[in-house]
Amino acid sequence: MNSGLFLGLSPLLVVSLGGLLLMVAEAFSKRRVDETSDDRDAGPSSELSLGTAVTLLAGAVFAAAIWFVGPEKLEGASSVAPWVIVDRFTLFFSFVLCLGGALAALLAGGYLPEHRLDRGEFYPLIIFSTVGAMILASAGDLLSLFLGLETMSLGVYAMVGFRRASLRSTEAAVKYFLLGSFAAALLLYGGALLYGATGHTDLAGIREAIANMQPGKGSNFALVITAAVLIIVGLAFKVSAVPFHMWTPDAYEGAPTPTTTYMAVAVKCAAFATMLRVLIGAFGEGGLESWAAGWPPVVALLAVLTMTVANLVAGQQESVKRMLAYSSIAHAGYVLVGVVATMRAGGDAQGSVMFYLLTYTVSTVGAFGALILMGSRGAEAVSYEDLAGVGKRHPAAGFAFSLFLLSLAGVPPTAGFFGKLYIVKASIGAGLYPLAIILLLNSVISAYYYLRVMVYMYMREPAPGAPIAKPMRSGYVATALVVAGVLVLVLGLWPTTSLQIAVEAALATR
Amino acid sequence: MNKVELAYFGLCSLIALLGAVVTVGAKNPIRGAMGLLSTIIGIAGLYLMLAAEFLAAIQLLVYAGAVVILFLFVIMLLGPSAQSKRDARGAVARYVGAAALLVSGLGAMALVMRTKSVTPTALPAVPPQFGTIESIGHELFSTALVPFELSGALLLVAVIGAVAVARGKQVDPTLLPAADAKSSQTSAPTAGQTKEARS
C-alpha cells in the first residue's frame, strides 16, 4: 500500500501504538500500588517509565530518520494534507516534543514512587498528550489543530490533578481546566469566524482568501481581524503570555513536578509551533503581517509585558518551583520577541525561535529535574530555604542544578546563551531595537533569581532545626539529568549545526 | 433570509441567549441546569435552520438527553450543599470583567456592522443531501478521515484522564493546614511540613 504515507506519519503512529501497548502491559502487570510498602520499585512506574521514554524516543528517532530521507520524497504523505502536514517543520517539532516528553517520563519514574503517587495512568497520559502536541505542531487545518489542542490539553489537565489527595493539586487542575477550556473556546470561536469570512478552514486557503481581500467597505476584513484577535488570545493563553498568565503559577506549583516539567516544555513548544503556523501560514499576507495594521505590534506588546512582568514577579518568589513557573513565562516572552521578528527577518528569525525552543526544552527539563532530585519522600524541596547548603552536602546534584540554571539565565557556554543570542540577533536584524534592548535588560533581571538559588545552595547553611532536603536516589531522574545536561553542553558548544537544522525546518513553512 | 426565517432565527437565538444568561446568573443550580437545557434546545433549532438535521437530533439526544440529566443527578445528590453561598469577594472584579467582555463584544460587533455588507458568498452552496446521516457518514470516512481518526486519540485521552482523576484518593481535610487551600499565592511550604494529606 502507500508506504510513503505510513513512513511520513510514523512518528505519530509509533508513539500512539507504543502508548496502546503500554496500556495493555500495565493492565496485565502484577505490579500494583501498595500504599503501605516502602519499596519504591514495586509500583508500575518501574517498568512503565522506561517503556514510555523508549516509545517517545522511538518517535523522535523516526522523525529524525524522515528528516534524513527528506519528507518531500515521501510520495503519498501529502494525501493527509492539510489535516496533517509532513514537512521539516513538523519533524523538528516532533523531535523536540518527543524528547521533552521522554525526559518528563523519566522524571516521573523517579518522582511518582517517591511521593506515593505511583499509578500507571500517568504514562499513557504523557504519551497521548504528546500525540496531541505532535498533531498540533503538524496541523494545517483549524479542525485538526483544535483536535490536537484538546487531546494535548485533556491529558495535561488530568496530569495536573494527579495528586488527588492534595487540595492544591486539585485547585491547580480546576483552574487550568476552566481557563484552558475558555481559551480553547475563544480559539474555536475565532476559527468559526475565520471560516465565515474566508470559506476555508485550512491555513493555506485562509491565507489566500485574506490576500485576495480588499480592505474597506463590503469585505469581510473586519471579521478576519476579530477572528485573528480571538485566535491570538487563545494561543497566548496556551503559551501563558502576560496578561493571560494568571493560571500558570498556580497550575505549575500545584501540579506534580513531572507534570510541571511536561507543561513547561511540551505544551509550550506545541503552542508556539501552532502560533508560528497560524501567524505565518494564515495571517502572513494581505496586510495582516504589516506593522501598521496587523498582528506584529500586538504580539510585540505581549512580549514586552510577558518578559517584564514575569521577571519582576519571579524575583519576589519564595518558592523555587513558583519561581521556575514565572521563569517559564518570561521565556515565553523571549520567544514572542523572536515571533515578532519572523515577519521581517524571515526564515532566520523563525529558525532562531525554534532553536530557542530546543535549548529551552533541555534547560527546563534539567532545572525541574534537579528540583525533583533535591527532594525525597515527605520532604519535597520547594522553597529556597529547603535548598540551603545542598550544594555542599550533595555536590553532584548541586552542580546539575547550577548548570541548568545558568543555561536558563543564558550564561555561556550553555545552550541558553546561544538561544538568547540568536533571538537578539534576529530581532536586531529585523530592526526591532527596543525589543532587543528590553530582552537584554530582562535577562539581567532574571540572573538575580537564578543566581539566588545557587547562593542558597552553596553559601547558606540551613537554620538549626530547619527541615533539610534529602536528595532522592533514582536512576531515572539521574539519567534524565545526564541526558539533558549533555544536550545543554553540546548545544552550547556546537550550536551552529542545530541552528542550521532549525532554519531549514523554518523554511518549510514559508 | 426571508421574514419567516428571520423570525425563526430570532426566536431560537433568544431562547439560547436567555438560557445562557439564566445558566450563568441563577443562584439555584436546578434553575441553572434548566437554563442550560434551554440554551441547548435553542442551538438545536439553529442547527435545523442550517440544514443540519442530524446534528440537531444528536444535540438534543446527547446534550439535552444525557448531559443535562447527568448534571441534574449530581445536583440532586449534592442536595442543599450544591447551592452556592452568597460570595461578596471579588464582586467588583467580576463586574469589571463582565463589563470588559461586553464592551469588547459590542466593539467587535460594531466593527463588523460598520463594514456594511458582509458577503456570505465565500461559502459554497449547500448540496441537497447535506446534513443527512448518509452524507455525514460519507464525509467522515472520506475527506475528513484524518480528523475522525484523530478524535479517537482525543476520546482515548479523555477516558484515561477520567480514570486517572477518579482513581486518586479522596482528600482528608483534617490533615490539611488551614492556609493551604486558600493562600497559594503567598504560602511557601517547606520541606519539613507534610503539606499534603497522605492518609
Side-chain angles (χ1 to χ4, degrees):
Chain A
M1 235 184 86
N2 202 333
S3 59
L5 175 61
F6 283 107
L7 192 57
L9 291 178
S10 59
L12 264 178
L13 296 177
V14 165
V15 174
S16 317
L17 205 64
L20 291 174
L21 287 178
L22 282 177
M23 276 170 69
V24 175
E26 202 266 332
F28 286 97
S29 160
K30 292 269 189 312
R31 293 172 182 276
R32 279 291 170 267
V33 205
D34 183 4
E35 298 288 348
T36 53
S37 153
D38 268 346
D39 182 7
R40 275 151 223 201
D41 294 329
S45 269
S46 48
E47 53 195 20
L48 284 181
S49 168
L50 198 62
T52 308
V54 167
T55 303
L56 288 169
L57 283 179
V61 167
F62 270 90
I66 304 169
W67 178 285
F68 289 118
V69 173
E72 54 287 331
K73 283 191 198 137
L74 298 177
E75 281 176 38
S78 59
S79 63
V80 285
W83 308 113
V84 174
I85 297 176
V86 183
D87 58 9
R88 289 186 186 271
F89 182 86
T90 301
L91 294 175
F92 182 87
F93 272 105
S94 295
F95 184 86
V96 175
L97 293 168
C98 285
L99 181 70
L103 292 176
L106 284 178
L107 294 183
Y111 183 91
L112 297 185
E114 188 72 31
H115 296 281
R116 296 188 199 269
L117 290 169
D118 204 356
R119 282 179 281 132
E121 294 92 19
F122 196 84
Y123 299 98
L125 284 175
I126 283 199
I127 291 189
F128 286 103
S129 294
T130 313
V131 169
M134 284 156 78
I135 296 169
L136 193 52
S138 58
D141 189 284
L142 291 173
L143 184 56
S144 47
L145 191 154
F146 184 71
L147 281 172
L149 182 77
E150 282 299 284
T151 309
M152 177 181 80
S153 305
L154 276 178
V156 178
Y157 300 146
M159 285 199 281
V160 172
F162 203 71
R163 196 199 300 253
R164 274 297 302 282
S166 151
L167 275 190
R168 186 175 291 203
S169 172
T170 313
E171 179 203 349
V174 169
K175 232 175 217 175
Y176 185 36
F177 175 62
L178 286 179
L179 288 176
S181 322
F182 190 61
L186 286 183
L187 195 81
L188 199 59
Y189 193 17
L193 289 183
L194 212 50
Y195 176 61
T198 62
H200 287 275
T201 56
D202 59 312
L203 299 178
I206 290 170
R207 181 193 180 109
E208 201 179 327
I210 292 176
N212 293 334
M213 233 172 237
Q214 307 296 329
K217 294 255 175 201
S219 83
N220 294 327
F221 208 66
L223 217 51
V224 170
I225 289 178
T226 315
V229 170
L230 288 170
I231 287 177
I232 288 174
V233 169
L235 290 175
F237 258 107
K238 284 288 161 198
V239 301
S240 62
V242 177
F244 310 107
H245 69 293
M246 300 298 185
W247 57 272
T248 317
D250 288 339
Y252 277 31
E253 197 186 13
T257 316
T259 311
T260 315
T261 317
Y262 186 80
M263 285 162 80
V265 169
V267 174
K268 206 159 268 199
C269 283
F272 270 116
T274 319
M275 195 176 238
L276 288 172
R277 269 219 198 270
V278 172
L279 288 184
I280 290 155
F283 301 143
E285 255 178 276
L288 276 176
E289 84 295 357
S290 70
W291 188 263
W295 53 264
V298 180
V299 178
L301 183 69
L302 284 179
V304 171
L305 281 177
T306 307
M307 287 187 290
T308 317
V309 172
N311 275 317
L312 290 179
V313 181
Q316 298 164 3
Q317 299 305 312
E318 283 308 315
S319 151
V320 178
K321 202 171 168 187
R322 213 173 162 81
M323 178 277 279
L324 284 175
Y326 276 106
S327 128
S328 92
I329 302 178
H331 282 275
Y334 306 147
V335 180
L336 284 173
V337 171
V339 172
V340 182
T342 52
M343 59 116 203
R344 279 196 212 156
D348 283 350
Q350 200 186 330
S352 76
V353 168
M354 293 164 69
F355 179 74
Y356 192 92
L357 287 172
L358 178 62
T359 64
Y360 165 79
T361 298
V362 289
S363 321
T364 308
V365 166
F368 278 112
L371 191 63
I372 289 177
L373 190 70
M374 297 289 181
S376 51
R377 184 170 286 182
E380 202 172 341
V382 178
S383 69
Y384 283 96
E385 275 78 24
D386 293 344
L387 297 176
V390 167
K392 281 187 210 150
R393 277 178 277 127
H394 306 278
F399 171 76
F401 207 168
S402 312
L403 176 71
F404 297 119
L405 287 172
L406 288 176
S407 179
L408 284 176
V411 175
T414 55
F417 170 71
F418 283 100
K420 275 210 184 88
L421 180 74
Y422 290 135
I423 292 252
V424 170
K425 222 170 104 184
S427 51
I428 288 176
L432 303 164
Y433 300 106
L435 280 182
I437 292 168
I438 295 172
L439 197 163
L440 289 174
L441 286 177
N442 269 298
S443 48
V444 174
I445 302 177
S446 76
Y448 160 72
Y449 55 81
Y450 291 129
L451 294 180
R452 191 163 159 228
V453 177
M454 293 163 69
V455 168
Y456 269 90
M457 281 199 302
Y458 288 105
M459 298 174 195
R460 296 279 173 94
E461 287 302 325
I468 297 172
K470 286 188 287 295
M472 66 161 80
R473 291 175 180 282
S474 162
Y476 297 121
V477 177
T479 313
L481 287 184
V482 168
V483 172
V486 168
L487 284 173
V488 162
L489 286 176
V490 166
L491 288 173
L493 292 172
W494 297 282
T496 26
T497 322
S498 35
L499 181 73
Q500 272 164 7
I501 289 175
V503 170
E504 206 177 321
L507 288 174
T509 56
R510 294 184 162 265
Chain B
M1 220 192 272
N2 62 35
K3 274 198 180 130
V4 180
E5 278 181 337
L6 197 64
Y8 179 74
F9 174 77
L11 185 70
C12 288
S13 313
L14 195 69
I15 293 173
L17 285 176
L18 280 182
V21 171
V22 170
T23 312
V24 179
K27 289 229 171 48
N28 185 335
I30 300 272
R31 221 167 269 163
M34 288 301 135
L36 186 64
L37 187 65
S38 125
T39 307
I40 287 163
I41 291 173
I43 291 174
L46 289 178
Y47 284 152
L48 270 185
M49 198 180 143
L50 294 169
E53 301 99 8
F54 179 65
L55 198 56
I58 288 292
Q59 168 93 356
L60 285 181
L61 271 178
V62 173
Y63 283 93
V67 174
V68 174
I69 298 298
L70 209 61
F71 281 169
L72 285 176
F73 269 132
V74 172
I75 293 168
M76 289 181 176
L77 280 178
L78 286 175
S81 60
Q83 188 122 14
S84 62
K85 291 188 195 69
R86 210 180 169 78
D87 189 2
R89 280 178 307 144
V92 179
R94 258 180 288 166
Y95 285 120
V96 169
L101 204 61
L102 194 67
V103 166
S104 48
L106 288 177
M109 208 193 266
L111 190 70
V112 175
M113 298 280 269
R114 204 170 53 90
T115 50
K116 283 283 186 242
S117 59
V118 174
T119 44
T121 46
L123 303 180
V126 172
Q129 74 280 20
F130 180 86
T132 58
I133 300 177
E134 289 86 357
S135 65
I136 288 179
H138 192 260
E139 191 79 0
L140 272 187
F141 288 100
S142 57
T143 29
L145 181 63
V146 178
F148 178 68
E149 298 285 345
L150 295 183
S151 56
L154 174 64
L155 293 177
L156 180 64
V157 97
V159 170
I160 308 170
V163 171
V165 173
R167 257 185 72 189
K169 279 190 299 186
Q170 290 302 307
V171 182
D172 183 358
T174 55
L175 288 174
L176 288 162
D180 183 89
K182 286 195 181 145
S183 59
S184 57
Q185 298 284 340
T186 48
S187 71
T190 45
Q193 293 175 327
T194 44
K195 66 178 166 63
E196 312 297 4
R198 299 197 184 91
S199 58

